[in-house]
Amino acid sequence: MIAAIFIVCGNSIVLTSCSKEEVTAQAKKEYFQSWNQCQALTALKEYVEDVTNPKSANFISVEDRIATFDMDGTFVGELYPTYFEYNLLEYRALDDPSYKDKAPDDVREAAQDIRDYVRKGKSLPSHFDMKHARAAAKAYAGMTIAEFDAYVKAYAALPANGFKGMTYGKSFYQPMLEVFEYLKDNNFTYYVVSGSDRFICRALVESIGIAPNRVIGMDVKFMSNKQGEEAGVNYTMGKEEYLVRTDSLLIKNLKTNKVLQISQEIGKVPVLSFGNSGGDSAMHNYCLSNSKYRTAAFMLIADDEDRDHANREKALKLGEQWREAGYNVISMKDDFKTIYGAGVEKVDFTFPAE
């Protein structure tokens, strides 16, 4: 049996068809199996149902349903025991036999800062995000896009320290993956907008189906392998040439830089925004400033010390701060039935002898 379905797309009505079984399957599809009933989930579903309803005064046309997501700590674990890109730099400069002996002093120093923070509990230096960004630009200079992608994925395949049954590359928050699925089925286009290196993000999110052109992150300058000192505007790349990373940092994609990059690369103000830290507040505020449409912003707090490596006291204080700012707060402890999925267990960190 074939059922006729009318789909509203902007101001147009499209007639399509599907089987009775397909209609039933769509109607019965269950979302958010990894969530508990909670304020944040209710707010998200109510928002999406409202803005996708053609009869609602808040209806948003498909082309303007733009959502932005931070990565680390928003849908990828960051407390094992710190950001993936920090762990990668620590390995690159201090452990990688192909590189460690030739690492520049400032790269090795930044990596040692991370190691001392992780293993000895020392505080990271002030403005370490920029110190790391400059060191990371140098650490991978000379790699092609393919070489760097393979390097990231090789490290991502290692077991995640502090967990049993999970690699770094599989450390996705299962409930947040369900948010992606829900938004996709409701014709939202979502972008990753991260402070981490754009090409690290691309390598990590490939497995969950996020296309490279929907990833925005920290950027370093690229150039042709034969370009030398010639400026790109004066140099014509040949067919046999290829791009390599340089040691020149272009932008660290944090705070208002996220807003600038969204404006330049997406060209539209988002209507939904998801993050987990103060580095995401500017992106949230940019979203909420969208006067054309109804908007919403969500902050995830890492308040679950039983299933993840978290600082609950700090997280709860941040939760209050985010609520006062007008953001919806997602509690990992209260709102998630599972964090990383079945078979993953939090364990103590282990480190080889130095």
Side-chain angles (χ1 to χ4, degrees):
M1 179 177 180
I2 302 299
I5 297 178
F6 292 91
I7 299 177
V8 178
C9 297
N11 294 319
S12 301
I13 298 178
V14 179
L15 175 65
T16 186
S17 63
C18 60
S19 68
K20 180 179 179 181
E21 291 76 15
E22 288 175 321
V23 173
T24 302
Q26 291 170 5
K28 290 185 176 180
K29 186 169 184 178
E30 295 284 345
Y31 295 98
F32 306 115
Q33 297 299 297
S34 300
W35 288 72
N36 295 315
Q37 288 301 316
C38 58
Q39 180 277 329
L41 184 57
T42 298
L44 175 61
K45 291 193 292 186
E46 191 277 331
Y47 171 82
V48 170
E49 289 168 5
D50 182 28
V51 302
T52 59
N53 178 3
K55 296 181 180 180
S56 170
N58 296 315
F59 178 72
I60 300 175
S61 55
V62 170
E63 61 270 21
D64 288 338
R65 294 178 195 170
I66 305 296
T68 51
F69 286 77
D70 172 59
M71 186 180 78
D72 299 279
T74 299
F75 67 92
V76 170
E78 70 176 2
L79 297 174
Y80 45 79
T82 186
Y83 301 117
F84 178 90
E85 68 170 2
Y86 281 18
N87 293 340
L88 185 66
L89 181 70
E90 179 190 358
Y91 168 78
R92 174 72 167 164
L94 302 180
D95 299 319
D96 183 349
S98 71
Y99 180 77
K100 64 179 184 178
D101 291 337
K102 55 186 178 183
D105 289 344
D106 54 345
V107 174
R108 189 178 292 107
E109 180 182 304
Q112 190 63 51
D113 287 338
I114 296 169
R115 178 156 293 182
D116 290 344
Y117 169 71
V118 169
R119 301 189 183 188
K120 300 177 182 179
K122 293 185 178 181
S123 297
L124 290 171
S126 179
H127 301 296
F128 184 74
D129 49 3
M130 293 304 301
K131 181 176 182 179
H132 163 267
R134 288 187 285 267
K138 288 186 178 181
Y140 312 110
M143 285 187 175
T144 66
I145 294 173
E147 288 169 345
F148 186 60
D149 184 71
Y151 193 83
V152 172
K153 289 175 179 175
Y155 187 82
L158 297 176
N161 198 359
F163 292 93
K164 180 180 179 181
M166 182 174 75
T167 63
Y168 287 115
K170 298 297 183 181
S171 60
F172 299 109
Y173 300 153
Q174 293 301 308
M176 296 305 294
L177 298 187
E178 293 171 1
V179 173
F180 286 137
E181 179 185 21
Y182 179 64
L183 293 181
K184 180 180 179 181
D185 286 353
N186 281 281
N187 295 309
F188 279 78
T189 301
Y190 45 81
Y191 293 81
V192 175
V193 184
S194 173
S196 292
D197 186 290
R198 184 193 299 260
F199 288 83
I200 288 178
C201 297
R202 285 179 174 178
L204 292 178
V205 304
E206 178 183 302
S207 67
I208 57 173
I210 298 179
N213 65 343
R214 289 197 277 122
V215 175
I216 301 170
M218 183 191 94
D219 275 320
V220 299
K221 184 179 179 180
F222 280 74
M223 63 187 303
S224 165
N225 65 309
K226 295 184 178 180
Q227 188 173 336
E229 298 298 321
E230 196 77 25
V233 71
N234 298 323
Y235 182 79
T236 300
M237 181 175 172
K239 295 178 182 178
E240 75 287 355
E241 297 177 38
Y242 51 86
L243 297 178
V244 295
R245 296 174 64 98
T246 75
D247 62 3
S248 177
L249 176 68
L250 291 178
I251 190 169
K252 180 64 177 176
N253 196 42
L254 288 177
K255 298 184 178 179
T256 301
N257 278 356
K258 287 195 173 191
V259 175
L260 301 179
Q261 293 290 83
I262 289 169
S263 177
Q264 288 181 320
E265 299 202 22
I266 301 176
K268 293 185 176 183
V269 183
V271 296
L272 266 178
S273 186
F274 295 81
N276 79 304
S277 73
D280 302 316
S281 292
M283 178 173 74
H284 283 1
N285 295 339
Y286 184 52
C287 167
L288 297 177
S289 75
N290 188 333
S291 59
K292 185 177 180 181
Y293 296 118
R294 180 184 174 187
T295 59
F298 293 79
M299 280 286 201
L300 189 150
I301 58 171
D303 58 348
D304 194 326
E305 296 177 317
D306 296 324
R307 299 179 295 177
D308 206 354
H309 298 277
N311 184 331
R312 180 168 171 78
E313 181 180 358
K314 177 182 177 182
L316 292 177
K317 289 180 180 178
L318 285 173
E320 289 304 311
Q321 179 180 332
W322 304 145
R323 289 185 184 93
E324 291 174 4
Y327 314 144
N328 295 282
V329 173
I330 300 170
S331 163
M332 291 175 68
K333 180 177 179 63
D334 297 333
D335 300 347
F336 290 176
K337 290 180 180 178
T338 179
I339 296 178
Y340 298 104
V344 177
E345 178 185 350
K346 173 192 170 184
V347 296
D348 291 337
F349 293 117
T350 59
F351 303 106
E354 293 187 50

